[in-house]
Amino acid sequence: MYAKHRSYTLARPAHRHVRLSVNPSGFLSVEIEEDNNKLDAEFENLCFEKHGKITELVCFEHCKPQKSRWHIYLSDNDAKELNRLINDAKEEYEILMRDLC
């Protein structure tokens, strides 16, 4: 199992850069380079919300869907790629767990 890494430019605020790490064990790590701000989340706490040509990635408090911990804005293409990476990581983890049983 390998983590997948991507770098994107945030849609809002403009020209900020973010590095993402998708870990098949169910975690997303986010680092906003300009702020040295590090965020993390479990896949189950993430939600993609489309707003026109921009997609907001929201991390909600566990078991509290009305309260968000953090959010970032990605272009639609970047959000689609990230969503695919997360789904691939989930599938990879499930395959590994089945093989171990």
Side-chain angles (χ1 to χ4, degrees), residues 36-101:
N36 276 339
N37 193 6
K38 295 183 182 185
L39 311 168
D40 61 357
E42 291 183 46
F43 292 164
E44 65 188 38
N45 295 335
L46 295 173
C47 179
F48 290 89
E49 298 178 1
K50 190 164 171 54
H51 304 287
K53 294 182 180 182
I54 295 174
T55 301
E56 181 181 15
L57 174 62
V58 182
C59 174
F60 289 102
E61 290 273 342
H62 185 67
C63 297
K64 297 179 184 175
Q66 301 303 324
K67 186 174 181 184
S68 70
R69 289 181 42 215
W70 56 263
H71 62 102
I72 59 174
Y73 294 95
L74 301 169
S75 72
D76 281 345
N77 289 337
D78 292 345
K80 286 177 187 175
E81 180 183 28
L82 178 59
N83 192 27
R84 183 185 52 78
L85 289 172
I86 289 171
N87 288 332
D88 289 351
K90 288 178 184 177
E91 185 175 334
E92 182 180 341
Y93 185 78
E94 287 176 18
I95 290 169
L96 178 65
M97 290 300 112
R98 276 195 307 264
D99 289 349
L100 290 174
C101 292

